[in-house]
Amino acid sequence: MAVFSVLLIVPFAALAYFLSEEATKTIQSSIESSTAQTIEQFASHVVTLLTQVEDTGNQVVSSRTTQDWLTVHLNPDNSIQERVLTKQRLREYFSSYAVNNSSGISISAFAEDAGGLWTQDTTYKKSEWFQAFMTANKRWTTAHKDIDQSDEFMRVRSINSFIFPLVQLQSLRNVGFIKVNYPTTLLRNAIEKIRIGKTGKVVILTHEGNSVLDQNITEDQGVLTHGLREMDTRFEGEASGIFPIQDQAGTHLLFFRRLPTQNWTIIGTVPEGELYEKITQIRKTILLVSIILLILVILMAFWLSAGITKPLSMMGKAMKHVQRGEFNQALQVMPKVREGHSEVDYVTGVFEQMTHRLRFLIETEFETNLRRKNAEYKALLLQINPHFYNNTLEIISGLAAIKREDLVMDATEALGKMMRYSLNLNSDLVRVAQELDYMRDYLFILYLRHEDRLKVTIEEDPSAANFMIAKFIVQPLVENAVKYSLEKDGVAEVTLRTKVEGEQLMISVIDNGIGMSPELVRDLLNEITMGDSVAILSSEGHSIGLRNVLSRCRLNYGEQFQLRLNSRLGEGTEMVLFFPLIRS
């Protein structure tokens, strides 16, 4: 189901992503192009108006009326009446031009020695626009009010102006300047109609960052100032462009169009999120559709899982239990066969029948094998007892031959204890302490026979005394150790040790006998691995005691029994047996 979901969702998600990216790029390009075109159209409108204003200044300065006034004004011999008459003509000329001009353009003239044409007021010299004109030769002014106008209405309105030197063309003498005024609202109304996003705005700024049209730029002052610096560094020589600005409020997009003649810049600023709001909505729609489809796919996957994948998965778990022989657990987790004729129901039904049949066959085989192992174990016990009693009776016979009646009685008593121990078949397991007591009776008989030629050391761990082991594990090992040690040097040195190591009981027998060949060691270890008791029963007397012990350990403990066998020819043997801890 995971693969199915991935194969379905990944291509769709990739397609949705690429479509979204392409749509985003297309819409972004369209929005940016549309906004840039709007600003460019407004810039064309501004350039047209300002060109008209500039042409008006040229026409006014070069007109006959203006030049006549300049001639009279510059000639001190002219009478007052001539001066007043020419000034009146000039006023009429300016007024008629303002009336006939549809853009609301008005004209005023300022003579250095006479003040304004309309008011003869010289306070204009303290104004910011005049100071900028005189110090920096800024001929295009920002929004302001000028009292030197022909009527009261013009005096109270906000205007922008173009300042043109007032030159007498015959003498090229500069008398003052012509001030061509146009209403600020002429551009401000047009610029405020431009909408960029919800809160974006377009402004006209001077190179210093001041508003040309007296627009409120307080909230955006930081972004605009930063944008002007960026334009000077990154877009030097470019007339227009688009770039992002990062500030504390987020990312803003700036659109600019330079007006080089006036040294102004038209700047449009808008938060990026607002400008690309449509794109965001499209992406949200695609994401929503993707989520809905993903949910539908998951529901479909669950539906398929309930009908196909889940039963197969449960059957897989049941197979693992069957593999471990846990048939009851397998039948518990096995899916129920539903009504219908699907392949899954058929396979489930057949596997359930196979499980029941396999459990029956294995239980039958187990019972048969258990009876066979019990028979093998009893046969091994019957095999070892005659072997031991034959050796013991030879010892007692030898003592009787040398007239040692006292030792014969002690040996007979020890043999009686051993017979009672060996004939008790109520349990196949005894405590380690009981097995060692049996060993002490057995060693007493061996001491009577071999005397100083036998040295057996028993190192008994008290903590191991009450753990259970199979009968007759130790005696055959000690018997073999004594036998083969006497064959070598005539003196047998044997060490019997018991010890608890972690969760295992260790019994070791170490001798100084003739040792074993590598082939015999390998055969014994292989027999432990194979667990072949039949081969031991038919071994025809070759290492019968040792093979008997190893086979009974294998029958009793299975894989939990471990053997470590170290033997070298002519040096001796160390045999270490490890058993699981069985408490009484």
Side-chain angles (χ1 to χ4, degrees), residues 406-434:
D406 54 336
L407 294 180
V408 170
M409 293 179 60
D410 293 338
T412 304
E413 181 181 359
L415 180 60
K417 292 180 181 180
M418 294 175 63
M419 290 182 66
R420 285 194 298 273
Y421 177 80
S422 61
L423 293 176
N424 183 9
L425 299 178
N426 293 332
S427 175
D428 297 330
L429 299 178
V430 296
R431 292 193 299 273
V432 174
Q434 291 177 300

Side-chain angles (χ1 to χ4, degrees), residues 496-537:
L496 172 62
R497 182 181 296 120
T498 63
K499 187 177 181 181
V500 176
E501 290 187 351
E503 293 299 319
Q504 288 183 313
L505 171 66
M506 182 198 76
I507 297 178
S508 65
V509 177
I510 305 173
D511 64 56
N512 62 337
I514 61 175
M516 300 181 187
S517 65
E519 292 77 10
L520 179 57
V521 172
R522 184 172 59 252
D523 291 342
L524 290 173
L525 293 177
N526 288 336
E527 290 175 7
I528 292 296
T529 304
M530 300 293 294
D532 191 355
S533 301
V534 177
I536 297 175
L537 289 171

Side-chain angles (χ1 to χ4, degrees), residues 59-76:
Q59 291 175 9
V60 168
V61 171
S62 61
S63 70
R64 183 176 184 82
T65 304
T66 304
Q67 290 298 316
D68 289 344
W69 174 71
L70 289 176
T71 302
V72 172
H73 184 77
L74 291 176
N75 189 354

Side-chain angles (χ1 to χ4, degrees), residues 307-354:
I308 300 175
T309 309
K310 188 176 180 180
L312 292 178
S313 177
M314 294 174 64
M315 194 158 61
K317 293 180 181 179
M319 288 180 177
K320 292 181 180 178
H321 286 296
V322 171
Q323 186 180 22
R324 295 192 293 265
E326 301 168 350
F327 295 100
N328 290 331
Q329 293 89 329
L331 292 173
Q332 289 176 0
V333 302
M334 192 174 297
K336 302 300 181 183
V337 179
R338 302 173 301 174
E339 295 183 359
H341 302 284
S342 69
E343 291 80 358
V344 175
D345 295 330
Y346 173 76
V347 172
T348 302
V350 171
F351 181 71
E352 185 175 1
Q353 294 177 5
M354 290 174 57

Side-chain angles (χ1 to χ4, degrees), residues 544-558:
I544 184 172
L546 176 58
R547 293 175 184 271
N548 185 291
V549 169
L550 298 180
S551 180
R552 286 192 292 115
C553 289
R554 178 70 180 182
L555 284 173
N556 277 279
Y557 303 108

Side-chain angles (χ1 to χ4, degrees), residues 231 234-242 256-260 265:
M231 283 186 282
R234 293 172 51 188
F235 299 95
E236 184 178 0
E238 296 186 26
S240 61
I242 306 171
F256 73 90
R257 169 66 160 84
R258 287 192 172 101
L259 302 174
T265 305

